[in-house]
Amino acid sequence: MSYDVVIIGAGAAGLMCALQAGSRTKKVLLLDHMPKVGSKILISGGGRCNFTNIHTTPANFVSENEHFAKSALSRFSPQDFIEILKKYNVPFHEKKLGQLFCDTSAREVVRVLLAECEKYRVEIKLNETVRGLKQVDSDEGYRFEVTTSSKILAKSVVVATGGLSLPKIGASNFGYKIAEQFGLKVVPTRPALDGFTLTDPAYQKIKDLSGASLDCVLTCNGQSFRENILFTHKGISGPAALQGSLYWKEKTRVFINLLPDIQLKELLLEAKKKNPQTNLLKILSQYLPQRFIEAFSSSFLNYSEQISLPFAQVSEKILLDWSTTLHAWSVLPSGTVGYAKAEVTRGGVCTSELSSKNMESRKIPGLYFIGEVVDVTGWLGGFNFQWAWASAWAAAQSV
Ligand code: FDA
């Protein structure tokens, strides 16, 4: 029971690292505590896996060290992953904003990764719980003993156990515990790409809009996203809110421009001059659902009676208030939705502990961390898988 490399976690990063190390003729063992590989790949992208984003740049990632991901991302690009899928004739398409999805099923991605692992004789053991990991001395270069139901010697160990969301399908804190066991810093974790909860009663009317969706620009901590928001019975979801939640910190406000394509102030003042018989409801209904305007006016502007008055009877100040509020609706979330819905975990093994070239621990030679367990978190849209592939490739060149 001895291997060049033992990889713990057969998700996106673990599978990619296994096949790449295997292609370098390494003897590889890939372990997972669940009965199947790639569970998150299978449920990702609504079952079609948004497996990469062709516009990936380091700016699409959040980390305490914004430079850390640059090296790995530059050496294994979206095109490199596309080439692997093409070898197996997997059909795919761009949905929007550079996001690539399988035409048929996410199962295609797992099929390809498994076929490559098989080609390079990677051994895969499932339902295998790792009970311990320790450093050992050996004349043959084995640096670790991995305890499962048996004792396994490894020259290198790669931790690819992912983040904390969806424990039902295998997520665990194992990677962080291993980092701590070896004295490596872990950046505090929190759910991300999960949207916002609104518990303040002031938002009750807005939550009644559950199911409605709006195109907007959402800004959170200086980062803006132009996509839809979706009102839910808990708060705000939809792609723009998911992206914003990646940047959110306790007690910070989120600003939502609900009319990103028009200049409402100019439009209203002009209408007041030229058409004093028109009213707010008529004008805003051209751009926003009436249901939303009514809920919004009674919740936030306290001007609900003004929305159907002719402009001749509405002051400029009120029109300016509407304009300011609709262009920068200021929302104070009570939190983000949590791990049950989060697509990723922010934080993780601190990048200052790892080499950006190969993901190896600076303190413990031969110990590697890849994928989501590392403090590198991507935007929604295929970036997290691209990080999993790229960090896995980088480690595989070195194990
Ligand atoms: P990943 O979570 O894939 O794999 C970790 C593996 O380690 C699992 O197989 C787990 O069972 C195993 N493991 C954990 N603890 C263990 C232990 N103690 N012992 C042994 N094994 C252990 N991203 C994207 O780019 N495009 C998308 O479309 C989506 N969609 C999406 C939908 C949903 C619902 C979620 C929850 C997430 C996404 N993501 C996504 C995010 C993406 O799935 C995620 O970032 C990657 O799967 C991370 O890859 P890893 O290999 O690092 O972890």
Side-chain angles (χ1 to χ4, degrees), residues 89-279:
N89 300 315
V90 175
F92 60 88
H93 61 280
E94 180 181 344
K95 194 167 173 190
K96 58 173 182 173
L97 306 169
Q99 301 166 7
L100 300 190
F101 285 75
C102 296
D103 284 358
T104 52
S105 164
R107 283 195 295 273
E108 291 287 276
V109 173
V110 175
R111 173 179 72 84
V112 165
L113 296 171
L114 280 176
E116 288 280 289
C117 282
E118 197 181 333
K119 178 164 130 197
Y120 296 119
R121 298 195 176 82
V122 171
E123 261 182 70
I124 302 181
K125 284 197 179 157
L126 301 176
N127 290 315
E128 196 69 79
T129 303
V130 178
R131 301 199 183 120
L133 175 64
K134 65 175 189 190
Q135 286 175 288
V136 290
D137 269 337
S138 108
D139 295 339
E140 292 96 45
Y142 295 105
R143 293 184 284 196
F144 298 94
E145 183 185 87
V146 185
T147 308
T148 59
S149 44
S150 42
K151 298 223 183 276
I152 303 161
L153 289 175
K155 290 178 181 163
S156 300
V157 167
V158 181
V159 179
T161 46
L164 295 170
S165 57
L166 306 195
K168 268 192 284 189
I169 60 164
S172 81
N173 64 358
F174 182 86
Y176 313 124
K177 290 272 165 244
I178 289 291
E180 282 164 0
Q181 177 194 324
F182 286 101
L184 314 190
K185 237 179 21 177
V186 175
V187 175
T189 52
R190 67 172 180 77
L193 301 185
D194 52 345
F196 300 109
T197 51
L198 304 175
T199 49
D200 191 306
Y203 297 111
Q204 189 50 50
K205 284 245 166 45
I206 289 299
K207 290 198 286 183
D208 291 347
L209 291 168
S210 186
S213 118
L214 290 177
D215 173 33
C216 71
V217 173
L218 183 145
T219 304
C220 186
N221 275 318
Q223 197 72 38
S224 295
F225 297 94
R226 170 85 192 247
E227 289 219 49
N228 278 4
I229 53 169
L230 172 72
F231 296 97
T232 67
H233 63 281
K234 282 198 170 156
I236 303 178
S237 181
L242 266 58
Q243 302 280 34
S245 66
L246 180 57
Y247 288 86
W248 191 73
K249 295 191 182 104
E250 294 284 308
K251 301 197 169 75
T252 53
R253 286 190 169 267
V254 172
F255 296 93
I256 304 178
N257 182 351
L258 293 155
L259 294 170
D261 293 324
I262 60 166
Q263 299 293 325
L264 188 61
K265 179 175 140 193
E266 285 73 15
L267 202 135
L268 294 180
L269 294 181
E270 179 87 358
K272 183 170 163 62
K273 239 191 260 161
K274 293 198 173 147
N275 189 3
Q277 288 320 306
T278 193
N279 63 34

Side-chain angles (χ1 to χ4, degrees), residues 8-13 32-34 40 43-45 50 160-162 166 170 172 174 342-344 371-372 382-385 388:
I8 307 173
D32 203 290
H33 64 165
M34 295 302 279
K40 277 197 188 154
I43 59 163
S44 67
N50 176 195
T161 46
L166 306 195
S172 81
F174 182 86
E343 287 212 2
V344 280
E372 201 180 312
F383 301 102
N384 284 296
F385 280 133

